[in-house]
């Protein structure tokens, strides 16, 4: 379950980054930094998912 929280936190931050970039409120340097941060967060999520056991559990 700890991984669920880690994934959720990272994806929430990615959504924030997307909103910031869509708002066009940042300059090129800030936009590049946000893009790089988002890419790093997504890579971390992929790594967490790859480390998983592969079991899918249905929650009711």
């Amino acid at each position: 379950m700890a991984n669920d929280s880690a994934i959720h936190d990272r994806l929430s931050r990615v959504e924030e980054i997307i909103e910031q970039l869509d708002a066009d409120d940042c300059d090129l340097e800030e936009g590049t930094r946000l893009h790089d941060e988002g890419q790093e967060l997504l890579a971390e999520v992929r790594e967490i998912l790859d480390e998983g056991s592969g079991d899918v559990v249905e929650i009711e």
Side-chain angles (χ1 to χ4, degrees):
M1 287 298 182
N3 283 346
D4 291 345
S5 177
I7 291 169
H8 181 267
D9 292 346
R10 285 166 175 79
L11 291 179
S12 292
R13 177 61 184 141
V14 169
E15 289 177 8
E16 291 173 5
I17 290 171
I18 291 169
E19 289 174 7
Q20 285 180 283
L21 292 172
D22 282 346
D24 286 334
D25 289 338
C26 55
D27 60 18
L28 180 59
E29 184 176 325
E30 178 71 4
T32 300
R33 187 192 67 75
L34 288 169
H35 176 269
D36 291 345
E37 180 185 352
Q39 290 297 316
E40 183 176 318
L41 290 167
L42 291 173
E44 291 173 9
V45 168
R46 281 187 214 100
E47 185 176 313
I48 292 169
L49 291 173
D50 288 343
E51 291 172 357
S53 64
D55 296 333
V56 176
V57 179
E58 182 176 347
I59 300 175
E60 295 180 29

